[in-house]
Structures are given as C-alpha cells and as structure tokens.
Amino acid sequence: MLVTERDTGTHGIAGGPNACVNRHLEAYLLQGRVPAGDPVCDPRPQPRPRQGQEQEQGS
C-alpha cells in the first residue's frame, strides 16, 4: 500500500503531523484494512519560521 501526500517534498513520514496519512496507517496496522487503490492525502501545512528567525538567519 502506498499513501501519497500530494504536492510535498517529503517521503517516509508516518505517525507525523498528517492526520490523513495516520488514519490509513492505523487502519492497516490495527485492523488489517487496506484501502482500494492507493490513497492520496492533502499535504500538511508547511512549517513557518518563528518571528525574528528570518532576520537572524540573514545576518
């Protein structure tokens, strides 16, 4: 089974911040359920720098 997180540059992320990916993983591991086809999940939000961090990195 392949669960795709659409439009992201990450891979191999399970048990992370994407609830859709986690639902498919948990259904498989806990109940043995396999979805029909390869499910696609919306991407998780990209991290945002904390205030002030952008200025520190540019110095």
Side-chain angles (χ1 to χ4, degrees), residues 5-54:
E5 189 178 32
R6 186 178 331 127
D7 299 327
T8 62
T10 60
H11 67 282
I13 307 295
N18 191 314
C20 174
V21 172
N22 293 339
R23 274 193 302 276
H24 289 292
L25 175 67
E26 291 168 7
Y28 175 72
L29 293 176
L30 300 175
Q31 301 161 358
R33 277 191 314 185
V34 178
D38 289 330
V40 176
C41 295
D42 288 332
R44 67 180 191 276
Q46 292 296 316
R48 303 177 109 196
R50 289 181 283 192
Q51 272 188 319
Q53 244 185 345
E54 293 173 6

